Amino acid sequence: MIPIARPYVTQEDAQAAYDTILSGWITQGPKVEAFEEKFAAYTGAKYAVAVSCCTAALHLSLIVAGIGPGDEVICPSMSYIATANAIRYVGALPVFAEVDAASFNLSLMDVQKRITARTKAILLVHQLGMPADIDSFQALCAKHGLVLIEDAACAAGSAYKGKKIGSHSQLVCFSFHPRKVLSTGDGGMITTSQEEYYLRLKRLRQHGMSVSDRVRHQASHLVFEDHTELGYNYRLTDIQAAIGIGQLEKLDWMIAERRKIASCYQEAFQEIACLQLPREEAGYYSNYQSYALSLGADCPLSRNDIMQQLLDKGIASRRGVMTAHRETAYGDYYPDLHLPISEKASDQSLILPLFVGMSNEEIGQVIEAIKQILSGPL
Ligand SMILES: *Cc1c(COP(=O)(O)O)cnc(C)c1O
């Protein structure tokens, strides 16, 4: 069986976790601080704040951006549901916009049409690791006085116009879930270059506490903490951070390996007319968190038939990115919303296996299977 993904965690990563467990610091402490410094340096952002997951990163980003009840935040429906959920956590309304039919990233034109007097922010997703056009959205936000928050859950190590994702905007949120490229089991990070955001994010992730455990631990005079506002327990642990540091050191290499596999797929599938392949325009650099194929109208088989036939051949695949507005938790709120491009993109796409350590034989098996399946019924 060829799995859809497999986290690349090494003996060294396991050893780092083991050493940390025995170090006396197992929750947020010096390893988290070191991971944050290295992540900030890697992305080119001034600061990074580690949290328990990307959903927590999005939640805290919306809070520091001042988003609350009565506000509207524009985001794609075609994204993992956490994107929209985070907006609801702060009592704001997710306003779903269409994606572009070629890149599956947010459509600037469609977003423009949905801006109202209540719009406060745009939550821009880098779909499956492929950067969105950040410059255009920054310009749009500047024009309308909106905050731009990037959902870069899938985009650690991706780059836009020569700079790593994380360095362009003031609130950029990353995920370290095992389905992403860099994994700590679970985990997340927010990058920013604004000191005010940085300091407040650090308090909010730890119950709103004014002094961190580490500062109290190292103090030679008594230090008493205050809880300055309603906070959360969104801490990353030092055990996870120890894994993250080793993962970050390997990130560029892991991405290079992923891109080799993606280019094998690109080369093999370009001759199949009914398939729409991922497109990486000049200035865009994807970490290929996932490789999705989209089926054209002339495809001889349904998406689900293709997925079943792949499974019959021992190859896992996944549906394309979901749409939030058609999920039960959202359907009642958006009974009349139709987003034809997003719905079609979601229904007519599938994700193929792609992971570091995938053998040439496995890559070949996937390619042969797709070719066979799509030529079979003719
Ligand atoms: C995975 C993902 C999230 C959620 O990340 P967690 O770390 O699991 O909270 C949010 N947004 C997008 C686009 C994702 O792919």
Side-chain angles (χ1 to χ4, degrees):
M1 189 73 204
I2 303 177
I4 188 76
R6 191 184 287 151
Y8 186 75
V9 184
T10 63
Q11 187 70 39
E12 287 75 38
D13 296 336
Q15 185 66 44
Y18 179 93
D19 293 343
T20 303
I21 289 167
L22 298 179
S23 73
W25 269 108
I26 49 180
T27 187
Q28 182 182 287
K31 285 282 192 286
V32 166
E33 238 176 77
F35 185 32
E36 289 171 336
E37 276 167 22
K38 287 172 194 291
F39 198 84
Y42 175 84
T43 55
K46 197 160 173 194
Y47 306 108
V49 179
V51 288
S52 51
C53 61
C54 184
T55 310
L58 292 167
H59 184 190
L60 296 188
S61 293
L62 288 158
I63 292 174
V64 300
I67 314 297
D71 295 337
E72 295 178 358
V73 178
I74 301 176
C75 69
S77 172
M78 189 189 177
S79 179
Y80 186 57
I81 199 160
T83 306
N85 283 353
I87 297 168
R88 284 176 63 186
Y89 293 167
V90 296
L93 181 74
V95 172
F96 294 126
E98 275 285 24
V99 294
D100 175 85
S103 68
F104 303 129
N105 272 315
L106 259 185
S107 155
L108 186 76
M109 254 182 24
D110 195 72
V111 168
Q112 268 168 322
K113 283 191 284 188
R114 294 175 202 269
I115 294 175
T116 71
R118 289 170 179 263
T119 308
K120 287 285 162 57
I122 295 173
L123 187 40
L124 185 64
V125 176
H126 302 300
Q127 198 78 264
L128 304 179
M130 186 65 79
D133 184 8
I134 299 169
D135 281 354
S136 302
F137 283 95
Q138 278 182 341
L140 184 68
C141 284
K143 185 173 160 203
H144 294 272
L146 310 177
V147 181
L148 184 68
I149 301 173
E150 293 177 44
D151 181 342
C154 298
S158 296
Y160 171 77
K161 297 193 178 171
K163 285 166 63 191
K164 290 257 161 62
I165 297 297
S167 61
H168 303 88
S169 306
Q170 287 314 318
L171 292 163
V172 186
C173 304
F174 296 88
S175 171
F176 306 137
H177 180 273
R179 272 292 274 125
K180 321 297 181 185
V181 176
L182 181 170
S183 182
T184 59
D186 254 311
M189 193 75 84
I190 307 154
T191 57
T192 184
S193 294
Q194 270 197 34
E195 191 179 15
E196 218 174 301
Y197 281 166
Y198 169 64
L199 295 173
R200 190 161 173 223
L201 289 166
K202 287 215 300 183
R203 288 194 302 271
L204 284 170
R205 72 167 169 197
Q206 190 167 16
H207 307 289
M209 240 168 80
S210 60
V211 187
S212 75
D213 291 332
R214 184 151 150 77
V215 167
R216 286 191 300 174
H217 183 72
Q218 290 175 334
S220 51
H221 299 283
L222 281 178
V223 179
F224 293 118
E225 69 283 10
D226 179 26
H227 295 87
T228 56
E229 63 177 314
L230 179 68
Y232 304 84
N233 177 355
Y234 282 168
R235 285 184 299 256
L236 191 76
T237 69
D238 260 27
I239 305 168
Q240 293 166 306
I243 300 170
I245 290 167
Q247 289 273 296
L248 188 60
E249 281 163 9
K250 293 187 274 287
L251 182 55
D252 284 340
W253 174 81
M254 291 196 286
I255 292 172
E257 291 294 299
R258 302 183 75 87
R259 290 175 61 87
K260 279 187 213 160
I261 301 168
S263 74
C264 289
Y265 284 162
Q266 293 289 79
E267 206 182 302
F269 299 145
Q270 64 188 356
E271 66 200 41
I272 305 179
C274 69
L275 294 179
Q276 182 190 326
L277 312 182
R279 222 184 310 167
E280 194 181 58
E281 305 287 348
Y284 293 71
Y285 182 86
S286 175
N287 64 4
Y288 282 101
Q289 180 270 336
S290 288
Y291 184 92
L293 288 176
S294 301
L295 311 177
D298 53 343
C299 185
L301 283 169
S302 76
R303 192 269 314 266
N304 294 358
D305 283 341
I306 296 171
M307 290 179 68
Q308 183 62 52
Q309 289 196 34
L310 283 170
L311 194 60
D312 295 342
K313 293 173 187 291
I315 298 168
S317 64
R318 291 289 181 273
R319 294 188 293 174
V321 178
M322 60 177 292
T323 56
H325 74 283
R326 293 186 294 176
E327 294 296 307
T328 307
Y330 283 82
D332 290 349
Y333 298 90
Y334 303 86
D336 301 320
L337 180 63
H338 294 292
L339 298 168
I341 300 170
S342 302
E343 290 169 20
K344 180 162 168 273
S346 178
D347 296 343
Q348 299 295 332
S349 60
L350 69 152
I351 292 170
L352 295 182
L354 195 166
F355 49 89
V356 177
M358 197 173 174
S359 68
N360 287 336
E361 196 193 342
E362 287 172 320
I363 300 165
Q365 269 174 277
V366 174
I367 289 171
E368 275 320 299
I370 288 287
K371 284 184 174 172
Q372 260 180 28
I373 292 166
L374 287 175
S375 63
L378 296 179

